[in-house]
Every structure is written in C-alpha cells, then in structure tokens.
Amino acid sequence: MRDTPPPPRTMKALLLHGREDLRLTERPVPAPGPGEVLLAVGSVGVCGSDRHFFSEGRASSDVMTEPFVMGHEFGGRIAAVGAGVDPARIGERVSVEPLVPCGACRSCARGAYNVCPTQRFHGVPGAEGALQEYVAVPARNAFPVPDAISDAAAAMVEPISVSLWASERGEITIGDSVLVTGGGPIGLFALQVARARGAGRVVLVEPQPSRRETAAGFGAETAASLDEVTGEFDVLMECTGVQAVRHDGCGHVRPGGRAVFVGVGAQDAGVPMPSVIEREVDIRGVMRYRFTWPVVIEGLAAGRFRADELVSRTLPLEEAHRAWTEPLTGADVKTIIRVGS
C-alpha cells in the first residue's frame, strides 16, 4: 500500500441534466462497497457516444431518463478499497473496464459477457461515469498499468479494446488485407491492431488530410474516399456508421470475406444484399469487448499501440463543457479531460 491521502468528503462532478445541459456540481464522495475500489480519476476520454448523449439524450439503445455522469474511457489511482479487496491495492494506477456483466446469465456463463442482457456500463444511464473526481468501480474491473503508460493512454485502453475486439470478430490474421473506413480514434486504433496482428495490406479511408497523414505514419495506405480504393479485401472494418460508407464498403469485400460493423450510426441501415448474398460475405456486429484489457495494456507498454499521438486537446474538469460546446475540428482526433492531478 502506497502512502495515499484519504479521499475528501465532497468532490466536483459534471452532470448531464438534459440535452445540452451540463452542470459542474459539488457532491459527496462515494464509499466503495464490498468488492469495489474507490478510484481517484485521472484522465477521461470523450467518445462519440458522449456527444450523442449531450445533443440527443441517447446513444444507440441507451436513453437518458435522469441526470447522470458521463465518461466511460478512464483510469486513475485507487484511493480506497471496500470489504474483501486487498488494501495493498491503494495507490495503484489502473485502467478501468467500464462493462459490468451480471455474471450469472447464459451469455456470461459461456464467456460472452459483452452481450450480457442486464450488463451495467459506467458512463451510461444506470452506472456512474468518470467525469467526477472519484468513482467506485468493481475491483476486478480495475487493471494495473505500468508507469510507462500515460494517464491519457490508460483512458484510451477502452477505445483500443473496441478495435481489438472488432479485429477478433473479423478474424484478422497474418497476411490479410484490411480496409478500414473512418480515421477517428476507433479507425486509427483498428489499423494499428490490424498491423499488430500481421495484416499485409491495410488501407484507411478518411476525408481529412491530417488524419490520413496520421494513418500513414501507422503504416497504412490511405484514400480520401472509397472511390479511390482498388482491389478486394479479406476484412472490412467499418468505423464510421455512415450509411453510404457501410453500403459501399461491403462491395470491397472479397467473396467469403468479413464485413465488421463497428460504427453504430442510424438505428436502421441497409447493405448491398446481392453483393453480400452472392459472394457470401459475412456481416458481423461488434458489441464493446471482452477479455481485452490485459492484452491492450501489454501492447501499449510494448509500443505496439500508440495512443498519446491521437490526443488533440486536453481540458481540465472545470472546462470539460468545452468538449461539447467547442467541438474539435474534423482534422483533430481526441479530447482528453484531465480530472485529477
């Protein structure tokens, strides 16, 4: 156990009260329950789903019904532990997996906890997120990170995990050709994961020149649109959720290949059915991740994944509202909210 001061009685928290209504509030610091740790939050990544909650009051099937704290990409330092947790963990730097499954359903029993129908997810309605100074999380969801990994990178274990699980769904292996559509954080991590898994040709499609330049630095060919892409691919990693991109991207998958839909986009979307059926293209969805945290942390520590280069802006919690009211330009990639020192 490191020499860590006890947590204070109150803290600052950024609550979303409704559409476009963020308020910085003073509230009590929670006490960790049995099997939980109290995290002094370090850095929090802002995700596209956070933007949807702010502007629409919902993200995919998660609907806001009362004020809540966003922030599901996060890490920090353990400040206190609940009953049943080793006190030696106090002071430990961790990255947190926000998905909390029930552990008892059929999906959980077969290891597919990411599709647990009653799962909770820190940062969406029903489970407190990390845009506050302290948050209590299950101890088993807090994974130690070495000092070689920055606080920002510890927060980005979450989006890298999305990309890693997408690559698992796509069964990317040595020599595969991979088409990635979208040069946001998920797409840029998807290409890094594909390269780490031994993919041969990796092409990233993104209209923003600076994002294409970043992708090229990660070892990908780049194109501004699908119209510029030639050839067929073993795997499509569709990270935009844009209907036209999803539709046209499927046409670039080889017979017997895999189209992996990562970006959510509209509630209903079409695909080119003749192309999919006649060429037996497998379409696979991606629901978050499972068993990814140790792999991603090891990859960051070994330099296989580069996260810090994607950070375009860092804001203190007191100015976090700017992440929504002053959005990044299309050329920028990632906003990090710095909560703790």
Side-chain angles (χ1 to χ4, degrees), residues 272-309:
M273 292 311 296
S275 178
V276 168
I277 291 172
E278 293 167 10
R279 295 184 304 120
E280 292 196 341
V281 171
D282 286 350
I283 294 178
R284 303 178 182 183
V286 175
M287 178 57 173
R288 294 170 176 156
Y289 30 68
R290 60 180 187 242
F291 305 115
T292 55
W293 251 251
V295 177
V296 174
I297 290 170
E298 193 276 332
L300 282 167
R304 286 190 292 275
F305 306 138
R306 290 152 57 185
D308 292 305
E309 296 171 47

Side-chain angles (χ1 to χ4, degrees), residues 244-269:
V245 176
R246 178 179 290 169
H247 180 283
D248 295 348
C250 287
H252 287 272
V253 181
R254 67 162 176 81
R258 287 88 66 196
V260 181
F261 291 170
V262 191
V264 177
Q267 298 295 303
D268 295 296

Side-chain angles (χ1 to χ4, degrees), residues 16-22 47-66 68 70 125 240-241 264-268 324:
L16 180 65
H17 281 256
R19 294 182 183 180
E20 301 184 0
D21 185 5
L22 277 170
C47 175
S49 62
D50 298 321
R51 301 186 194 284
H52 284 292
F53 277 124
F54 177 77
S55 61
E56 304 164 25
R58 67 177 297 158
S60 189
S61 59
D62 293 307
V63 181
M64 176 183 175
T65 58
E66 60 185 11
F68 78 104
M70 295 184 290
T240 69
V264 177
Q267 298 295 303
D268 295 296
W324 289 268

